[in-house]
Amino acid sequence: MRERTFAPDNPAGNVLREWWLALADNRGDRAELRRARSADDAVLIPSTVQLVTRLRDTDVAQHRGWIERIPPIAGLAAHLDPDARHAILEDATPLPERMARLKGDRPVVSELRFRRLLRTPRHDLYRPMIRILALLDHQANLFELAESLFWWGPGIQKQWAFAYFPKLPKTA
């Protein structure tokens, strides 16, 4: 099994946590990053460049294409609620399980939307994930979000499917 790239207790996870906490306390930078309409927009924002620069000294920089994978992580991290730090930094509930939780008698993220998300290629994932985070009240584990976006592909998509579908209520 592959070791996590963005674990809370490894150098990349520490960089990500410190960066996000600083972003959470800086409304201007967070707002600028939240306004990014795409990962390409996010890469042009100084706070994203700061994250990329700080991650250069971690194992993240050893992965091919890593520089292109960080801006969407930065952009989406700006959509996490800075007042929900426990949920963002410590609640390890898998993101797909959060999506499958019931809100009323329906899952927070509908099965149809979830299936569409699983078929979305990495370069088109940014906008749908902004909507998903809004549905989750802007609460998701920062490290899992980063890990999933960084490695988005068949392996992560299968993990998400196996976490989401068993949590859906059974229909007759």
Side-chain angles (χ1 to χ4, degrees):
M1 180 173 218
R2 177 177 56 80
E3 198 169 305
R4 291 183 60 180
T5 305
F6 294 97
D9 58 349
N10 71 18
N14 287 330
V15 165
L16 183 63
R17 176 189 308 104
E18 290 171 10
W19 174 84
W20 185 80
L21 287 170
L23 185 71
D25 291 337
N26 187 326
R27 294 180 69 179
D29 285 354
R30 189 164 41 91
E32 182 180 26
L33 202 45
R34 285 175 60 109
R35 285 191 296 270
R37 299 188 58 78
S38 68
D40 289 339
D41 284 351
V43 75
L44 304 175
I45 296 173
S47 54
T48 300
V49 174
Q50 291 170 3
L51 178 60
V52 169
T53 302
R54 293 176 64 187
L55 286 169
R56 280 189 174 148
D57 296 331
T58 69
D59 290 345
V60 170
Q62 295 178 5
H63 299 288
R64 192 172 66 175
W66 75 277
I67 289 179
E68 290 80 27
R69 296 178 186 195
I70 300 304
I73 293 170
L76 291 171
H79 287 269
L80 297 175
D81 183 354
D83 295 327
R85 292 174 191 224
H86 174 76
I88 308 302
L89 299 173
E90 300 188 25
D91 186 347
T93 304
L95 195 49
E97 282 188 33
R98 290 175 190 252
M99 294 180 203
R101 286 182 180 161
L102 294 180
K103 189 171 193 175
D105 61 345
R106 297 174 183 243
V108 172
V109 174
S110 72
E111 186 176 341
L112 178 62
R113 183 183 300 269
F114 185 78
R115 286 178 187 267
R116 266 189 274 148
L117 183 67
L118 290 182
R119 291 191 302 265
T120 304
R122 179 196 316 274
H123 62 274
D124 291 335
L125 203 55
Y126 193 77
R127 299 295 302 169
M129 281 303 298
I130 289 174
R131 179 70 183 134
I132 296 287
L133 290 175
L135 291 170
L136 296 172
D137 297 327
H138 303 280
Q139 295 183 18
N141 183 284
L142 175 65
F143 307 104
E144 184 194 8
L145 179 65
E147 188 80 11
S148 296
L149 293 171
F150 192 82
W151 293 109
W152 186 256
I156 294 293
Q157 292 160 330
K158 286 177 194 165
Q159 286 178 17
W160 280 32
F162 283 108
Y164 176 87
F165 291 115
K167 297 295 181 183
L168 289 179
K170 306 287 183 248
T171 55

